[in-house]
């Protein structure tokens, strides 16, 4: 199967999110050399990245989902 950063992030968010543990799935984009647009997904537990890190500083967060605690 296909395993992208988004697929991995969704699996981790589904596995670790609970009432006791709020995790946040984030998606960001950046301009790559040659003006191509790149995207990346990662999951945070407070300020700690659980998967998808380290995230380059030039990624701009465009979406975030946090489970309901």
């Amino acid at each position: 199967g296909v395993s992208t950063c988004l697929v991995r992030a969704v699996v981790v968010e589904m596995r670790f999110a609970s009432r006791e543990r709020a995790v946040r799935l984030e998606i960001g984009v950046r301009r790559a050399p040659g003006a191509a647009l790149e995207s990346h997904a990662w999951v945070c537990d407070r300020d700690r990245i659980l998967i998808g890190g380290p995230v380059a500083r030039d990624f701009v967060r465009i979406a975030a989902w946090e489970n309901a605690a």
Side-chain angles (χ1 to χ4, degrees), residues 1-61:
V2 176
S3 181
T4 64
C5 59
L6 180 58
V7 170
R8 291 187 298 272
V10 168
V11 169
V12 167
E13 193 275 338
M14 290 175 65
R15 172 63 180 94
F16 288 104
S18 69
R19 291 180 190 258
E20 295 81 32
R21 185 179 195 182
V23 297
R24 188 176 61 254
L25 188 152
E26 300 186 6
I27 298 174
V29 295
R30 70 176 176 184
R31 286 275 178 212
L37 194 62
E38 293 181 338
S39 61
H40 185 55
W42 60 95
V43 175
C44 300
D45 180 2
R46 295 185 183 97
D47 292 328
R48 185 173 145 231
I49 296 175
L50 299 177
I51 193 167
V55 178
R57 291 190 178 270
D58 57 342
F59 274 101
V60 176
R61 188 176 74 176

